[in-house]
Amino acid sequence: METYIYSFLFCGFVCMISQLILDNTKLTPGHVTSLFVVIGALLDISGIYDKIVLYCGAGAIIPITSFGHLLIHGAMDIASENGFMGLALGIFDLTSVGISIAVVSAFFLALVFKPRH
Amino acid sequence: MKDRYLELVSKYTPKENILKNAVVTFLAGGILGTLCELLLRGYMMWFSLSRSESGVMVILTLIVISSILTALGVFDYCVSKLKSALIIPITGFAHSITSAALEYRKEGLVLGIGANIFKLAGSVIVFGIVSVYVFGIIRLLIMGG
């Protein structure tokens, strides 16, 4: 039950921070999402983000910070066996699911639908 | 002349209510996170998956739903109401890819969709990869993993 509360708090907190950045600076959503990916990659150091995922559940999986975390997590998993080559080999191990599904669904939807304004 | 113009612009630019936006995004983002946790538990129960596998399933569900909503034109309306509560979760990533694909469809399959599909989402991937290399090399050199 606590996972639901932490999930609510963490996901809401991340979204609120990004909205505050958007409202108070001239940065665009593109800047903010890139910034959050870098922060997620930084938080993987000594497994901080893994602990957040453990306590917050899906609330920590769905923000874009999780994308950066999964990128470096996959890379470091392989790098612990293969050394520096592992960084290049394992970088998309965990995130390829999201990217490929997003591209495939976008491609077929663009064939079927017309843009609306 | 320019001062007068800037004055007019600032007069007619709608004032964003910062506090209200913050509260709305906090609540909407929190509710989305809670619903996804519920869905994650559901996937674990229905398909007897492990926690990490059903996390992947939750991400897939969100991507497919937000792509379809973007194609139907509903998503832009939701973003105008809920703001970054839909941009920061993975829904925003799927939205940027699908809207780029829809936008450039008229320029053809290869030069339109193929060349422009990562037009908006590319920055996320580029900065992700670069930061992984930077942090990864630092971690391998200093901490050894």
Side-chain angles (χ1 to χ4, degrees):
Chain A
M1 192 61 214
E2 283 145 9
T3 319
Y4 291 106
I5 298 167
Y6 291 140
S7 190
F8 183 92
L9 290 177
F10 185 80
C11 196
F13 180 71
V14 172
C15 294
M16 190 181 71
I17 295 282
S18 71
Q19 185 62 39
L20 286 175
I21 295 173
L22 280 177
D23 281 347
N24 289 309
T25 60
K26 286 202 166 61
L27 298 179
T28 63
H31 289 103
V32 177
T33 43
S34 307
L35 178 71
F36 274 59
V37 168
V38 176
I39 292 175
L42 185 64
L43 282 181
D44 188 64
I45 289 174
S46 65
I48 300 171
Y49 207 88
D50 284 325
K51 288 200 183 68
I52 300 177
V53 170
L54 189 68
Y55 288 113
C56 302
I61 295 174
I62 58 167
I64 199 80
T65 42
S66 157
F67 185 78
H69 155 69
L70 288 177
L71 278 176
I72 195 162
H73 200 82
M76 295 310 283
D77 276 353
I78 308 291
S80 61
E81 295 163 16
N82 297 2
F84 283 102
M85 267 310 283
L87 279 182
L89 286 170
I91 191 162
F92 283 121
D93 265 12
L94 302 171
T95 45
S96 54
V97 183
I99 297 175
S100 56
I101 290 290
V103 168
V104 168
S105 61
F107 185 82
F108 286 112
L109 285 168
L111 292 184
V112 178
F113 288 92
K114 294 265 179 298
R116 296 179 188 198
H117 293 292
Chain B
M1 186 63 195
K2 199 178 179 196
D3 292 345
R4 175 110 183 87
Y5 171 72
L6 288 175
E7 201 178 291
L8 272 176
V9 166
S10 67
K11 192 175 166 189
Y12 288 107
T13 308
K15 284 202 173 49
E16 296 274 349
N17 193 334
I18 292 175
L19 186 69
K20 181 174 160 257
N21 280 350
V23 173
V24 166
T25 46
F26 181 74
L27 291 178
I31 290 169
L32 187 65
T34 317
L35 288 179
C36 287
E37 176 66 22
L38 201 66
L39 189 66
L40 192 146
R41 298 277 176 95
Y43 281 138
M44 280 168 77
M45 211 165 62
W46 298 325
F47 305 117
S48 56
L49 297 169
S50 76
R51 203 172 162 81
S52 58
E53 280 170 334
S54 49
V56 171
M57 291 287 288
V58 168
I59 289 178
L60 289 189
T61 316
L62 279 184
I63 286 175
V64 172
I65 289 176
S66 55
S67 296
I68 291 173
L69 288 182
T70 306
L72 292 173
V74 185
F75 201 88
D76 285 317
Y77 175 76
C78 298
V79 167
S80 72
K81 289 277 175 259
L82 302 177
K83 311 212 182 285
S84 61
L86 292 177
I87 297 173
I88 288 300
I90 198 80
T91 50
F93 182 75
H95 165 68
S96 59
I97 288 182
T98 311
S99 59
L102 285 168
E103 186 89 359
Y104 290 96
R105 166 75 181 89
K106 59 180 182 297
E107 291 175 22
L109 286 184
V110 177
L111 294 179
I113 297 181
N116 290 302
I117 199 162
F118 282 120
K119 196 161 191 115
L120 300 165
S123 68
V124 167
I125 295 177
V126 168
F127 280 98
I129 293 173
V130 171
S131 63
V132 165
Y133 272 75
V134 172
F135 296 144
I137 289 172
I138 291 173
R139 277 171 62 177
L140 284 176
L141 285 178
I142 296 175
M143 301 184 224

